[in-house]
Amino acid sequence: MTQKFASRRHALDHGFLTGTLTQTWILALPCKRLHGNAGRMEPGRGRTGFRPIDKEVAVTNLKVRHSQLQRLIALVAVLALLFPVIGRAQEEEEPQVTPEPTVAPAEDAVQLQYWDMQWGSPTFMAALQNNVTEFNRTHPDIHVTFTQLSWADYMQKILSAIQSGNPPDISGGDSGIAFNMAAQGQALDISDLYAEWEADGTLEDMTDWAHEKWDWNGMRPGVTWQFDSRAFFYRKDLLEQAGLEVPTTWDELMAAAQALHNPEEGIAGIAIPGKQGSYDTDQFWMTLVLQAGGGIADAEGNLAIDSPANLEALQFEKALVDCCTARGTPSWTFTEVLRAYEQGQAAIAFGGGWFIADIQQNAPEIFENTGILPVLVGPGGEEAAHIVSFANPWMIYNQTEHPEEAKVFLRWMMEPENLRKLYEAEPGAKWPVYESLVDAPVYQENELLTELARQTVENGVDYWYPNNAAAVGIGSMGTSLTDLIVNPVITGNRAPEDALRDAQAQLEPLFQRPES
């Protein structure tokens, strides 16, 4: 998405189970944030969102027998289908079907239904429809109808279609949708396509995480077609005036933020999101978590929130907030971060790729003095130098009556040349899954696009990295990382150690599996 929280598309709101676990839950729609003047929103990362009725019931006091635990895990997986699992959202409107393709179906053509999200502006959506039309023109025996859905209720519509036995043949969605569908037996295993892609060299060109993410439980439920990436934007002129080198490590970032923080002049050293109930807030902490060598779960799928690496990341964020951010940071989303940067009120800003086009349009003088920091090296060392890049998939549904034709369409859509057309429709809104596309003209228009495209293919991973054994649990946390950990710590209401310990206890049931 030309993802602008503040102006173009937005960063996908992810849904997770939030708060402390109880035996009674009420559904809560994922938060959708409007980004900016262009009034577009989008999903970047999806997680299923629920709110417990009684937030005072501690998980540690919840007693469940084995049979009850099985029912609980099944319930979590079902609930996880109901709402998105990660990302951005465009300004919510009624779901709409795009205009009928210009190519009429042949009388005996196989009919396929492809549903996907409002991933961007009308320009981007037209490019997506144009790809479908081109496929129909070059494959007269197959006819694909594209239906555009709203982020507000797309999961309800998909779930309803599944229950009625009439789901789409293919869809896109948030970055966890394929796992949640696979957990319910609704995702077609496309391992045969992966075998073809390995044989013809496609996987070799694809970034590792774009395909390794979907190697799950002996199947391949989806494939990544675009990344939604985060980065540190900085004022080159302010660094130069202060005589500072471009930060490459956590320590250097801290030193630069301290040196550039100037409240008297209305300039924060760094701008980050911190608002309660916002998916934006956990993305900065998770960037630090990855760079510290931490993660959400271990290789066996067990929750690993309360770890030394995650603690170090949280302590570092708290120190940054205390020394070098604006006073209102605990109420900020990406909208406020971008606004502060564009108004010259922040020397460094953490945000999404959609910031690039927004800054260029709304603050051209600042754009000319903006750079993207290199991927920072933290306590995890160079091998842990990652950025958060949500891997958003396409998938085929298990109920399709035409699996082979659906694979033909998916294979065609995943061809580098066809993805390139989509990426070109909104520079900076989507990031490439193929290394060969980093050199495409769309990513050479300015140095910010070039740098973030490179970082995406070389360093981009998301919350399921490196252990997707806990895929459904990760996709069921709602805004828990924000609400239980990050916001309480940066506001001073909780100590980092206590927040992580309590979050581990409260979220652990989501990651439990029935005993064999």
Side-chain angles (χ1 to χ4, degrees), residues 203-432:
L203 290 191
E204 186 175 356
D205 187 23
M206 191 178 289
T207 69
D208 290 344
W209 190 238
H211 62 89
E212 289 177 357
K213 174 179 177 177
W214 305 109
D215 185 1
W216 184 73
N217 281 4
M219 68 175 297
R220 300 277 194 163
V223 61
T224 305
W225 68 277
Q226 54 109 336
F227 282 106
D228 176 16
S229 297
R230 304 293 178 266
F232 289 89
F233 299 85
Y234 74 96
R235 290 280 300 275
K236 294 187 290 185
D237 54 337
L238 296 184
L239 254 70
E240 183 178 353
Q241 292 168 17
L244 298 171
E245 298 293 329
V246 176
T248 61
T249 67
W250 280 19
D251 289 343
E252 292 171 0
L253 175 66
M254 177 66 76
Q258 290 173 334
L260 297 172
H261 188 61
N262 189 349
E264 293 182 0
E265 297 294 330
I267 299 176
I270 187 168
I272 63 173
K275 186 176 182 178
Q276 184 89 351
S278 170
Y279 295 103
D280 301 2
T281 298
D282 63 53
Q283 294 173 30
F284 180 73
W285 180 60
M286 280 301 300
T287 299
L288 298 177
V289 164
L290 293 168
Q291 293 172 358
I296 293 176
D298 64 21
E300 287 70 47
N302 302 306
L303 182 67
I305 284 290
D306 189 13
S307 71
N310 294 356
L311 176 60
E312 194 161 8
L314 192 56
Q315 291 171 331
F316 183 78
E317 178 168 2
K318 170 62 171 169
L320 266 179
V321 170
D322 287 349
C323 79
C324 309
T325 64
R327 188 177 303 174
T329 294
S331 65
W332 282 19
T333 65
F334 281 134
T335 300
E336 289 75 29
V337 170
L338 181 55
R339 182 183 301 125
Y341 189 80
E342 290 182 342
Q343 294 179 353
Q345 297 170 355
I348 302 170
F350 176 79
W354 67 94
F355 275 32
I356 297 172
D358 198 292
I359 298 168
Q360 186 174 24
Q361 176 181 337
N362 297 332
E365 292 184 3
I366 288 179
F367 179 81
E368 293 301 319
N369 285 296
T370 293
I372 290 179
L373 293 184
V375 180
L376 297 176
V377 176
E382 301 229 356
E383 62 274 17
H386 297 297
I387 63 170
V388 168
S389 294
F390 296 113
N392 296 316
W394 281 322
M395 59 168 291
I396 299 175
Y397 287 78
N398 210 26
Q399 293 189 48
T400 180
E401 296 179 358
H402 307 289
E404 295 310 312
E405 289 82 0
K407 291 174 187 175
V408 170
F409 176 62
L410 180 56
R411 185 188 302 113
W412 186 89
M413 290 287 279
M414 285 297 299
E415 290 178 8
E417 180 63 17
N418 296 323
L419 287 183
R420 181 186 61 78
K421 296 174 184 177
L422 300 182
Y423 301 154
E424 287 177 345
E426 277 191 311
K430 313 288 182 296
W431 299 95

Side-chain angles (χ1 to χ4, degrees), residues 30-293:
C31 163
K32 305 293 182 186
R33 287 180 299 283
L34 182 61
H35 299 282
N37 35 33
R40 304 209 291 269
M41 296 198 315
E42 291 179 18
R45 190 177 57 111
R47 304 184 278 205
T48 308
F50 305 95
R51 182 181 302 118
I53 292 176
D54 180 6
K55 287 195 174 183
E56 301 305 315
V57 179
V59 171
T60 51
N61 295 328
L62 183 65
K63 306 295 184 180
V64 290
R65 297 191 304 272
H66 175 63
S67 60
Q68 292 175 314
L69 178 59
Q70 289 179 309
R71 288 195 295 273
L72 176 62
I73 297 301
L75 174 62
V76 168
V78 171
L79 293 177
L81 284 173
L82 297 180
F83 298 101
V85 184
I86 289 187
R88 275 178 246 205
Q90 305 245 319
E91 186 168 18
E92 303 305 344
E93 299 175 352
E94 289 300 311
Q96 57 182 329
V97 177
T98 54
E100 285 297 315
T102 57
V103 177
E107 184 176 345
D108 57 350
V110 169
Q111 299 282 338
L112 296 179
Q113 295 293 323
Y114 161 46
W115 295 4
D116 216 331
M117 316 316 303
Q118 186 183 349
W119 283 108
S121 68
T123 300
F124 179 83
M125 299 313 294
L128 190 56
Q129 175 64 73
N130 288 343
N131 269 14
V132 174
T133 300
E134 178 65 13
F135 174 85
N136 290 337
R137 188 184 66 79
T138 57
H139 297 76
D141 294 336
I142 305 172
H143 189 271
V144 178
T145 299
F146 170 43
T147 299
Q148 178 180 307
L149 301 179
S150 162
W151 284 102
D153 60 358
Y154 81 101
M155 282 305 296
Q156 296 95 309
K157 288 185 177 296
I158 290 176
L159 183 61
S160 177
I162 288 172
Q163 291 173 335
S164 66
N166 190 33
D169 299 279
I170 304 122
S171 89
D174 59 73
S175 58
I177 186 174
F179 290 133
N180 289 331
M181 293 298 176
Q184 297 303 302
Q186 296 297 330
L188 185 72
D189 182 9
I190 56 172
S191 293
D192 53 345
L193 281 183
Y194 275 83
E196 293 179 21
W197 288 327
E198 183 172 19
D200 67 17
T202 298
L203 290 191
E204 186 175 356
D205 187 23
M206 191 178 289
T207 69
D208 290 344
W209 190 238
H211 62 89
E212 289 177 357
K213 174 179 177 177
W214 305 109
D215 185 1
W216 184 73
N217 281 4
M219 68 175 297
R220 300 277 194 163
V223 61
T224 305
W225 68 277
Q226 54 109 336
F227 282 106
D228 176 16
S229 297
R230 304 293 178 266
F232 289 89
F233 299 85
Y234 74 96
R235 290 280 300 275
K236 294 187 290 185
D237 54 337
L238 296 184
L239 254 70
E240 183 178 353
Q241 292 168 17
L244 298 171
E245 298 293 329
V246 176
T248 61
T249 67
W250 280 19
D251 289 343
E252 292 171 0
L253 175 66
M254 177 66 76
Q258 290 173 334
L260 297 172
H261 188 61
N262 189 349
E264 293 182 0
E265 297 294 330
I267 299 176
I270 187 168
I272 63 173
K275 186 176 182 178
Q276 184 89 351
S278 170
Y279 295 103
D280 301 2
T281 298
D282 63 53
Q283 294 173 30
F284 180 73
W285 180 60
M286 280 301 300
T287 299
L288 298 177
V289 164
L290 293 168
Q291 293 172 358

